Amino acid sequence: MSERKKLYEGKAKVLFATEDPHVLIQYFKDDATAFNGVKKGSIHDKGVINNKITERLMTILATVGIPVHFLERISEREQKIKKVEIVPVELVVRNRVAGSMAKRLGRQEGELLPRPVIEFYYKSDPLDDPLITLDHIEVFGWASKGEIEWILHTSSRINDVLRGYFASIGIHLVDYKLEFGRLSENPASLVLADEISPDTCRLWDMQTGKKLDKDRFRRDLGDVSEAYHEVAFRMGLMKSA
Ligand code: UDP
């Protein structure tokens, strides 16, 4: 890693400052955690793969007019991003039942939802990211009514684009997490932030149902790095799986 000033180190990424106060560098690590940091490990090449997958997906979304914080990939593990103040709410978009939804509501994993479902979680490690409602977001001032409306509308557009894209490479986009931020240069502007990768999405092979995402790590299914490689390969980002 370079001599740049480290601003923040999270579980899977590090943020560094640049000469431009409104631009940061996002560095992708191989470190993997699950269950709010209780399970720790490393996935070979994950940082390199997630950097490239995030670049590709953010670029696709930008092309259809979704504002994103991504600027450019500058190395194997680093990308330049616009500096944002993260809205402390994680959105989970679900096309099929899986993970915490299956557990909480006693539904079968894999059940196709009649329409996408969006959930909100308050970003708080000490509280273990609790599920919240739209009222909580507004009442506690985490985002304004107008911002919430924009985020919901934008998430629905993102889902249409990503679901179609993954279907075109034979992958079911089961569910995923989105984060949004206010540009430091212009806080009235919201953009899609963070990453979109097999760390933050559930991706199932359409033919076999094989999980190609972080559930392989969470559930000790093996072939974790191979699954991340497979996604990158189908996206045309790697020469072989
Ligand atoms: N997710 C994430 N970060 C989180 C929580 C969830 O990226 O802090 C993603 C997760 O990978 C999955 C989706 O959001 O694709 C839904 O996760 P779920 O609520 O089922 O939680 P899990 O049981 O996976 O922790």
Side-chain angles (χ1 to χ4, degrees), residues 90 92 94 99-100 121 129 175 177 199-202 218:
E90 295 188 348
V92 168
R94 301 185 185 271
S100 71
Y121 294 84
D129 295 357
D175 60 28
K177 187 255 308 179
D199 267 12
T200 62
C201 303
R202 283 197 171 91
R218 292 189 191 98

Side-chain angles (χ1 to χ4, degrees), residues 11 35 90-94 98-104 109 119 121 129 174-179 194 197-203 213-215 218-219:
K11 296 179 196 118
F35 315 119
E90 295 188 348
L91 271 83
V92 168
V93 183
R94 301 185 185 271
S100 71
M101 181 189 235
K103 212 179 250 178
R104 186 180 303 116
E109 273 214 317
E119 295 174 346
Y121 294 84
D129 295 357
V174 172
D175 60 28
Y176 53 100
K177 187 255 308 179
L178 296 175
E179 295 189 30
D194 199 52
S197 72
D199 267 12
T200 62
C201 303
R202 283 197 171 91
L203 303 168
D213 56 62
K214 198 167 143 187
D215 270 348
R218 292 189 191 98
R219 304 180 187 186

Side-chain angles (χ1 to χ4, degrees), residues 86-128:
I86 290 283
V87 174
V89 174
E90 295 188 348
L91 271 83
V92 168
V93 183
R94 301 185 185 271
N95 294 308
R96 284 174 187 265
V97 175
S100 71
M101 181 189 235
K103 212 179 250 178
R104 186 180 303 116
L105 303 179
R107 311 291 302 201
Q108 195 67 30
E109 273 214 317
E111 179 183 343
L112 181 63
L113 294 163
R115 63 167 179 83
V117 167
I118 298 183
E119 295 174 346
F120 310 92
Y121 294 84
Y122 178 46
K123 257 175 88 75
S124 164
D125 281 340
L127 297 177
D128 218 354

